Each structure stands twice: as C-alpha cells, then as structure tokens.
Amino acid sequence: VIARLLANPRLLEEMMIADGPSDGNYGKAMEIYEEIVRESDICGKDPDHPILHRLALAIALVHAVPVPQTNALMMVESSEFFSDDKSVDPVRRYLNYEGAYMEGELDPNFSSLTTWELRFVVNGDEPDEISSWGRQMLRNYYPDHIWSAFNN
C-alpha cells in the first residue's frame, strides 16, 4: 500500500498539505482512498467534479484511525447508511456526501473547500443518516436558513 502511495507523489503531497492522516497512518488512509475510488462511480473518474477527489481524500485522512460512531446501538436496520460496526464507515460517509453533493443538497460553497477544510466537514461521529435527516429537515422546515444568505 505504501509503495502505491509513494508511486503517486501528487497524492502524497496533497495528503501532507492537508495535515496528513490521523496518527500518521498513511497506509490506512491510502487503503480507504482507493476503496472510495473503487466504490464511487464518479470520484476519480469525472474531471468535472474535483471536489469529490478532495472529499474522498479528506475522509481517508480523518478515518485513517476509526472514528467511533455515536448511537451505534440505535441503528435502523433498513437504512442503507448504517452498518453493524461501531465505527463510522468511511466509504459510506463518502457516498452519503457524494449523493448529497450531486443532488444539490450541500452549501453552494462546498465545491470550493480545500481538502484540509473538508476534514472538518466529514469528521463527525454521528451516523450518516443523521446528516441526511438534518439536510432534509432544514430544506423542509427552515428553507430560509439555508437559502436566504445566498439570495442577498
């Protein structure tokens, strides 16, 4: 894994500029990044969405050390975003944000965030379904909170 990372100096540089992976786990970060690219239909394959590469990299860096998930025992079995693991699944976290981005559910400035900034977007310990619920709730009940700042 480390050999593949060293063979890609641009990716290694991006990791270092974004403050490196948690606890210096470069190998695990590379494994997570590669798995995200394999699972995504867009990341690394569509040059029109460079934010998705930065998002995948940010998630890989943050989750190089597993992030314990809150409410892990109160999972909804039918949810596509929950797993039986008590840690946040980095691939599912990425796919949740990718879907939200492609559906236009995220802040209009999301696509301008750097990898380092994205680390603070994706580092939560909440289940992904909570993020999805929050986005939906804001659109349904408080649309003025998410749109008014951009219409002025």
Side-chain angles (χ1 to χ4, degrees):
V1 175
I2 295 295
R4 289 193 304 273
L5 178 57
L6 293 174
N8 190 340
R10 184 169 182 259
L11 184 61
L12 180 58
E13 181 180 11
E14 287 180 72
M15 285 183 171
M16 293 170 62
I17 289 171
D19 204 24
S22 298
D23 285 349
N25 290 333
Y26 283 88
K28 184 63 177 174
M30 183 66 172
E31 287 175 6
I32 293 169
Y33 177 77
E34 289 176 333
E35 186 176 355
I36 289 171
V37 171
R38 273 194 308 275
E39 293 294 321
S40 171
D41 294 331
I42 304 168
C43 182
K45 300 164 186 91
D46 187 343
D48 292 336
H49 302 288
I51 181 61
L52 296 178
H53 160 74
R54 296 192 306 273
L55 177 64
L57 188 56
I59 290 172
L61 295 172
V62 168
H63 294 274
V65 170
V67 174
Q69 180 172 285
T70 57
N71 295 327
L73 300 177
M74 299 177 70
M75 297 181 192
V76 178
E77 290 181 25
S78 64
S79 171
E80 65 182 277
F81 298 114
F82 285 132
S83 70
D84 293 330
D85 196 357
K86 290 186 172 71
S87 296
V88 175
D89 182 329
V91 176
R92 289 177 185 211
R93 171 71 37 106
Y94 170 82
L95 293 172
N96 179 280
Y97 273 92
E98 177 188 276
Y101 172 75
M102 297 306 288
E103 293 295 321
E105 296 176 3
L106 302 178
D107 187 291
N109 295 309
F110 181 81
S111 61
S112 66
L113 296 176
T114 66
T115 304
W116 184 81
E117 292 166 328
L118 286 165
R119 291 178 67 133
F120 300 98
V121 173
V122 300
N123 67 344
D125 61 356
E126 73 285 346
D128 293 321
E129 183 153 301
I130 299 299
S131 297
S132 298
W133 173 84
R135 289 190 300 268
Q136 182 67 40
M137 191 277 304
L138 283 173
R139 284 191 310 279
N140 287 340
Y141 296 104
Y142 297 102
D144 53 315
H145 288 247
I146 59 173
W147 297 116
S148 63
F150 306 109
N151 293 330
N152 294 333

